[in-house]
Amino acid sequence: MEKGSDMILAAAFSKSGGYFALTDDSKRLILFRTKPWQCLSVRTVVRRCTALTFTASEEKLLVADKSGDVYSFSVSDPQGCGKLELGHLSMLLDVAVSPDDRYVLTADRDEKIRVSWAAAPHSIESFCLGHAEFVSRILVVPDHPELLLSSSGDCTLRLWEYQSGRELHCCHLTSLREPAEPWGDKRSAASRIAYWGQESCVALLCDCIPVVYIFQLDARRQQLAYRQQLAFQHRVWDVAFEEGQGLWVLQDCREAPLVLCRPVDGQWQAVPENTALKKVSAHLQGNWAMLEGVSGMDAGFSGLYKATFDNVTAYLRKKEERLQKRRQNPPPGPNGQAKKMKPEEASLRCSS
């Protein structure tokens, strides 16, 4: 088994919360049962993984990797080997399944979202095309299973009817930023999309900005409405909604690692510390050494942007330098004397 630093690359709970799985940079896939907590298996994956998810039935675990492949692993047979389900030509960044387990949705570095049949993954139902950079996260809306949310390095959040591949709405995050903000012109991609069915709210966390954007989904009109942004003093690592509680925000601050936000008079705001917040915060503070390494890590998507090369400007600059030298030092004529260039010839050569 290839030995890495044991850094966790991806993790997920099953829908019921009865199972938990993670992959690390040692190419291990570790499956747990949560009630009670028990390690069921440690299996090996072919390549380092980028995302994983359980099927809705919790019978399979789908694992996406850097080479663009998706493998399925049995949950009921914890020692079973992985099975290749589908492949892309570029790195996969996220994988999701429809609530009825009918479709497998995959997002890759080449701006594409593919919708494949779960029973026959080689059969493609549709593509969701429109992003101008890598697709970082996708989420099938739980209470509107025909809708898909996606985020990208192009700084957009998009809403799709994924079975047809039709884009319904697009929100440009750059238009929501204030010019005075230090990250106003910084490129960013969403590292988490969270959904709260109680208020049809969408929380969007970007990988290098200490801000959480709040949207509201209007499923009837098939659009997203921007509501507000929550700014924080520290780097935000993750966000998650909990029914009946609100929005949990995990940040890089040992003194206050968790913030709980709730809507008050239509505006989301941090609530005073309560019993649940104290309990979970105390647990994180007691295990802070586990999280300290994250604070020094670079943004996960910074190396995925398209590299642009402008060699035309350099070519034109060097050409102009050569012409300047020729004008200052003309080549010698037939008798060894410097040949004088006619004004019209000089202008012709410059234009060429």
Side-chain angles (χ1 to χ4, degrees):
M1 182 179 294
E2 183 175 337
K3 182 62 178 175
S5 63
D6 296 337
M7 182 176 68
I8 296 173
L9 303 178
F13 280 95
S14 63
K15 184 179 179 180
S16 68
Y19 295 99
F20 176 75
L22 65 86
T23 61
D24 63 10
D25 61 354
S26 295
K27 298 184 181 179
R28 293 178 297 185
L29 172 64
I30 308 176
L31 177 64
F32 295 89
R33 180 186 289 120
T34 64
K35 301 172 184 178
W37 278 92
Q38 176 188 3
C39 179
L40 298 178
S41 68
V42 179
R43 289 175 276 193
T44 304
V45 294
V46 178
R47 294 175 182 83
R48 286 188 173 92
C49 301
T50 53
L52 59 84
T53 189
F54 287 88
T55 58
S57 65
E58 302 186 3
E59 295 178 353
K60 293 181 181 180
L61 181 61
L62 300 181
V63 179
D65 63 30
K66 288 187 173 183
S67 67
D69 295 328
V70 173
Y71 286 82
S72 66
F73 291 82
S74 173
V75 174
S76 57
D77 179 14
Q79 304 303 326
C81 297
K83 175 186 175 185
L84 179 62
E85 298 287 352
L86 59 89
H88 284 234
L89 295 177
S90 62
M91 178 193 300
L92 288 178
L93 299 178
D94 207 0
V95 59
V97 293
S98 59
D100 58 2
D101 279 342
R102 191 178 181 184
Y103 300 106
V104 177
L105 298 91
T106 45
D108 67 21
R109 188 181 179 180
D110 287 344
E111 312 154 10
K112 298 189 303 297
I113 301 171
R114 183 199 293 182
V115 182
S116 307
W117 284 81
H122 60 274
S123 179
I124 299 173
E125 177 72 9
S126 66
F127 285 98
C128 299
L129 305 177
H131 283 295
E133 278 286 357
F134 57 88
V135 183
S136 57
R137 290 290 178 264
I138 53 176
L139 174 71
V140 178
V141 182
D143 51 3
H144 298 285
E146 75 282 2
L147 300 179
L148 174 73
L149 293 165
S150 69
S151 59
S152 166
D154 62 9
C155 297
T156 63
L157 173 66
R158 300 177 191 242
L159 179 67
W160 308 85
E161 186 184 73
Y162 62 86
Q163 286 182 249
S164 63
R166 184 165 63 98
E167 182 181 309
L168 303 174
H169 195 79
C170 177
C171 297
H172 294 270
L173 302 183
T174 51
S175 65
L176 307 178
R177 300 175 187 170
E178 297 294 334
E181 292 174 341
W183 54 84
D185 58 348
K186 196 172 185 179
R187 294 192 301 181
S188 60
S191 57
R192 179 71 68 191
I193 304 175
Y195 179 76
W196 195 32
Q198 187 172 323
E199 298 284 342
S200 297
C201 285
V202 177
L204 188 70
L205 170 65
C206 294
D207 62 346
C208 55
I209 299 177
V211 165
V212 178
Y213 296 97
I214 303 294
F215 299 85
Q216 189 157 26
L217 172 64
D218 188 337
R220 186 177 62 83
R221 295 183 179 180
Q222 298 182 329
Q223 63 184 19
L224 293 162
Y226 170 69
R227 289 293 176 247
Q228 69 179 104
Q229 65 180 36
L230 303 172
F232 298 88
Q233 296 296 321
H234 306 277
R235 178 182 175 184
V236 178
W237 283 331
D238 207 353
V239 295
F241 283 109
E242 182 183 1
E243 298 294 335
Q245 287 286 349
L247 178 66
W248 292 94
V249 180
L250 177 64
Q251 60 180 356
D252 184 8
C253 177
R254 183 167 188 169
E255 292 72 27
L258 275 179
V259 179
L260 179 60
C261 301
R262 291 174 180 163
V264 178
D265 297 327
Q267 289 292 306
W268 286 81
Q269 49 187 269
V271 301
E273 197 172 48
N274 57 23
T275 305
L277 185 57
K278 287 181 180 179
K279 180 179 179 181
V280 183
S281 295
H283 183 74
L284 289 171
Q285 290 165 344
N287 295 274
W288 192 252
M290 178 185 66
L291 300 172
E292 281 183 326
V294 182
S295 59
M297 292 177 60
D298 295 330
F301 300 113
S302 59
L304 299 180
Y305 289 93
K306 295 176 182 176
T308 56
F309 300 95
D310 183 12
N311 53 6
V312 176
T313 302
Y315 165 75
L316 293 175
R317 185 183 69 252
K318 291 180 180 179
K319 180 180 179 181
E320 180 62 27
E321 291 173 356
R322 290 196 302 268
L323 291 174
Q324 288 287 353
K325 289 181 180 179
R326 293 190 65 179
R327 284 194 289 268
Q328 293 171 2
N329 302 299
N335 298 326
Q337 298 180 349
K339 182 180 179 181
K340 294 183 179 180
M341 298 175 62
K342 297 180 182 179
E344 58 272 15
E345 184 180 356
S347 62
L348 179 61
R349 290 190 178 184
C350 291
S351 60
S352 63

